Amino acid sequence: MSLTDPDLHPQVDRQSRSARADWWRDAVVYQVYPRSFADSDGDGIGDLQGLRSRLPYLDALGIDAIWLTPFYPSPLADGGYDISDHRDVDPRLGTLSDFDQLVSDAHALHLKVIVDIVPNHTSVVHPWFREALDSAPGSPARDRYIFRNGRGPHGELPPSDWKSHFGGSAWQRVEDGQWYLHLFDTAQPDLNWQNPGIRQYFLDTLRFWADRGVDGFRVDVAHSLAKDLSEPLRSQPTLDRQLPMDGSDPLYDRNELHDIYRSWRAVFDEYEPPRMAVAELWTPTSSRTYLYARPDELGQVFDFSLLNAPWDRNRFVEVINTSIADHASHAQDGGGLTWVLSTHDVPRHASRLALPSAVAPIDWVSSHGLQPLIDEDLGRRRAHAATLMMLALPGSAYLFQGEELGLPEVADIPIDAVQDPIAHRTGGAVKGRDGCRVPLPWQSDGASFGFGEQQSWLPQPPWLGRYAVQAQLVDGRSSLQLYRAALSLRHALQTRETHLVWLSQDVDGALHFRRTNGWECLVNFSNKPIPLPPGQPILRSDCTPLGPGTPLNPDTAVWLWRP
Ligand code: NOJ
């Protein structure tokens, strides 16, 4: 799979790439869900030393950076997104000193480290929330959160119709009769971003981690910090699914958020190189999404449009065009273009892409993977093809741990083992996100397939060993080998322009684009083989021979080199 063409760009090694202040513009970032990555102490929970011991694996994979989802102290009501101390490490995962060692080892390999910042809410066991409960209505301690009196003659009705993302009302009543707002679980009270103390606390928290050497931040639900709390509270029963285009929604994507992120940028720019940030927001991709990626704000925003698209050529073309255009209209310096196919919040793309487009992936998981039954080989083929397509796009790409192993979603976790609060708040009607968070298989056998010495915190299905790293390392046609080859070639080929040219629109089911240097990607969405266009095939997602005479099979992709 190696390239010998002398016209090809010389390989830019990771050391040189990581030395650029704007390394993140075309980086491949690997998302680590620390509790499910590697367990060093045999308690069934992944930890920082486990991750540290596996850095050589990530080095060999060829990524540029790791993003760690929350590893902070937490009662785990929402997988660690319910934080009780934003400036420490959960003792089950390690210590601050372990964190420092991890950063130091990652940096020695020229891998960057991004951490999650969760500014919208805390845990109910956070000292601030305990203090708020112990304090009177109207007190400064309550003002850190969003407490209100209820409606109805006795205040027995929630203050507004606002909904929780995890089901039910977004308000919870406390003993003295007031209600507090929680856009997620009841164990995640929303902070009041009109309180200057909260704003200052998070600026200092960014400095706390930046001083420890982190290179960037992933900002959780970046579009929901600022809220219109003027009375009477306005109706908003639709979550962030339909939003006005002028920033006037009471809860999401409000215009004043941009001032908050300008103040964060000032902190990032105190460092050399400036720290990077990527906003997480689940608004339907719109021209407003990329506002957060402006250079004087966060710089980058997750674009989830590919992740939301079914396996459909026209849909893929449409989302790529829309994202490139929206990005171009806001992120003037071209920094913020990103692509994502899987995260810890959605069913893995190796299963998702096998579903008929009429079936919502979350409904399929809630049916325990039974409605419909899917063809796993088809899903894996399409996932490989979609990944090659994503990695050939301009901008940066975010990978989720385990996708490099071709892991499918574990849709049949027994309901009594499910941990996601979504399942609990919906009485099991929505099964939630555990199926993509199952601990990784490192070996084909053992108590938890090499994840640790004991069974893992979420049950692993017996078939998981088939996907083990150990087995894939010795199989030249494995998902892991494909990802390694793709990342290595991408580093040689990736260039910094943020546009592409579409080709061969006349061939049914073919998605074909070209980058300015002559790198092309062709994906076959049809149900019959299509002949290869001119150019040197350099990587095929189904690992068939690279010869130019071999047509491209359905549900597969090829990279071509035609300078
Ligand atoms: C987005 C995170 O990705 C998700 O896992 C979490 O449940 C919510 N934000 C709440 O923090």
Side-chain angles (χ1 to χ4, degrees):
M1 288 182 193
S2 67
L3 268 180
T4 50
D5 193 313
D7 290 340
L8 193 65
H9 278 221
Q11 170 95 16
V12 185
D13 65 25
R14 191 190 302 134
Q15 181 167 5
S16 325
R17 293 197 308 276
S18 73
R20 298 169 175 160
D22 60 352
W23 57 270
W24 43 273
R25 281 168 189 264
D26 51 6
V28 177
V29 182
Y30 182 96
Q31 179 189 355
V32 174
Y33 197 77
R35 286 180 179 78
S36 299
F37 193 71
D39 169 19
S40 72
D41 58 7
D43 65 357
I45 302 172
D47 47 44
L48 297 186
Q49 288 297 352
L51 168 56
R52 188 170 163 234
S53 73
R54 297 292 185 182
L55 286 177
Y57 167 80
L58 297 176
D59 178 34
L61 179 59
I63 52 151
D64 297 295
I66 50 176
W67 149 36
L68 275 70
T69 53
F71 50 84
Y72 313 112
S74 163
L76 298 182
D78 178 24
Y81 281 93
D82 48 318
I83 297 171
S84 55
D85 183 350
H86 295 80
R87 301 185 191 166
D88 204 350
V89 173
D90 190 305
R92 289 163 290 191
L93 272 67
T95 61
L96 279 172
S97 151
D98 293 334
F99 181 81
D100 293 341
Q101 288 175 3
L102 173 68
V103 172
S104 164
D105 285 8
H107 284 172
L109 296 168
H110 308 291
L111 288 169
K112 304 285 189 184
V113 179
I114 298 172
V115 298
D116 226 298
I117 284 288
V118 185
N120 182 66
H121 42 262
T122 68
S123 160
V124 275
V125 306
H126 193 289
W128 285 347
F129 195 70
R130 290 178 182 246
E131 191 188 344
L133 291 183
D134 289 343
S135 305
S139 59
R142 287 221 171 166
D143 188 56
R144 292 200 189 100
Y145 293 91
I146 301 169
F147 280 87
R148 288 292 179 277
N149 294 325
R151 291 173 299 160
H154 309 289
E156 71 281 13
L157 298 173
S160 71
D161 61 355
W162 299 350
K163 295 274 177 289
S164 156
H165 287 268
F166 293 168
S169 168
W171 294 98
Q172 177 71 18
R173 203 165 193 197
V174 300
E175 261 181 23
D176 60 28
Q178 278 212 308
W179 300 71
Y180 68 86
L181 181 71
H182 60 91
L183 288 183
F184 292 89
D185 192 60
T186 47
Q188 294 167 292
D190 279 43
L191 287 165
N192 173 16
W193 273 81
Q194 291 173 7
N195 182 321
I198 298 298
R199 292 183 181 227
Q200 189 57 47
Y201 178 81
F202 277 95
L203 294 176
D204 293 340
T205 301
L206 296 173
R207 290 192 184 96
F208 176 88
W209 293 107
D211 288 344
R212 294 198 101 88
V214 313
D215 304 284
F217 299 92
R218 176 264 190 194
V219 184
D220 191 57
V221 282
H223 61 314
S224 63
L225 277 45
K227 290 155 187 126
D228 177 6
L229 300 173
S230 55
E231 301 282 350
L233 299 176
R234 282 192 278 146
S235 169
Q236 211 295 26
T238 63
L239 294 169
D240 49 7
R241 288 183 200 120
Q242 300 164 16
L243 295 177
M245 292 301 290
D246 59 359
S248 65
D249 186 84
L251 295 177
Y252 299 100
D253 189 31
R254 292 185 60 74
N255 290 329
E256 59 264 37
L257 281 163
H258 299 289
D259 290 332
I260 295 176
Y261 295 130
R262 281 185 201 105
S263 73
W264 287 30
R265 170 53 54 194
V267 171
F268 302 147
D269 289 351
E270 288 168 10
Y271 293 86
E272 187 49 46
R275 300 319 192 223
M276 61 76 74
V278 55
E280 184 233 18
L281 43 140
W282 285 92
T283 53
T285 292
S286 73
S287 53
R288 287 186 64 85
T289 301
Y290 276 99
L291 291 173
Y292 298 77
R294 287 179 289 197
D296 63 341
E297 297 190 32
L298 295 175
Q300 210 178 49
V301 59
F302 281 119
D303 187 321
F304 291 128
S305 52
L306 267 188
L307 173 152
N308 283 321
W311 181 256
D312 177 294
R313 176 204 175 272
N314 293 347
R315 191 76 192 109
F316 273 38
V317 170
E318 184 189 326
V319 299
I320 292 168
N321 280 338
T322 306
S323 296
I324 288 178
D326 285 346
H327 168 266
S329 57
H330 293 302
Q332 299 91 336
D333 67 345
L337 201 52
T338 61
W339 307 101
V340 195
L341 283 165
S342 277
T343 75
H344 67 297
D345 284 329
V346 292
R348 287 186 175 277
H349 69 286
S351 299
R352 207 177 63 226
L353 293 175
L355 287 171
S357 55
V359 177
I362 192 68
D363 292 343
W364 173 76
V365 171
S366 299
S367 79
H368 312 288
L370 297 175
Q371 288 168 6
L373 289 174
I374 58 168
D375 174 345
E376 284 199 356
D377 288 338
L378 176 70
R380 185 161 167 272
R381 275 200 304 282
R382 289 180 174 174
H384 286 172
T387 297
L388 281 205
M389 186 201 74
M390 173 177 80
L391 291 174
L393 291 169
S396 75
Y398 281 77
L399 309 179
F400 176 49
Q401 69 176 40
E403 69 168 82
E404 78 279 15
L405 304 177
L407 284 186
E409 180 78 2
V410 183
D412 58 356
I413 297 180
I415 198 72
D416 54 1
V418 164
Q419 313 244 343
D420 192 335
I422 295 182
H424 302 143
R425 282 186 64 83
T426 59
V430 183
K431 199 170 172 189
R433 303 159 293 175
D434 290 347
C436 64
R437 300 173 178 181
V438 169
L440 293 190
W442 294 91
Q443 293 163 16
S444 308
D445 48 23
S448 52
F449 301 112
F451 166 70
E453 284 174 11
Q454 301 294 329
Q455 302 249 314
S456 58
W457 66 281
L458 265 180
Q460 297 167 305
W463 50 258
L464 200 66
R466 286 209 310 271
Y467 292 85
V469 171
Q470 181 193 44
Q472 298 208 23
L473 283 173
V474 293
D475 173 1
R477 295 167 62 102
S478 67
S479 303
L480 180 56
Q481 302 291 10
L482 178 70
Y483 268 72
R484 282 183 167 198
L487 292 177
S488 162
L489 282 173
R490 172 182 154 110
H491 294 316
L493 294 164
Q494 183 61 299
T495 48
R496 290 201 150 194
E497 80 287 348
T498 51
H499 58 273
L500 46 76
V501 177
W502 295 105
L503 302 169
S504 317
Q505 303 286 353
D506 51 334
V507 180
D508 259 3
L511 176 154
H512 188 185
F513 61 82
R514 177 179 170 83
R515 303 289 303 278
T516 45
N517 59 354
W519 179 19
E520 294 183 13
C521 178
L522 171 65
V523 188
N524 184 357
F525 284 82
S526 79
N527 55 13
K528 45 182 190 300
I530 51 179
L532 287 198
Q536 178 193 350
I538 52 176
L539 188 64
R540 300 178 78 124
S541 65
D542 60 354
C543 299
T544 48
L546 284 178
T550 321
L552 186 65
N553 286 324
D555 305 304
T556 69
V558 61
W559 284 357
L560 299 149
W561 176 238
R562 190 161 63 96

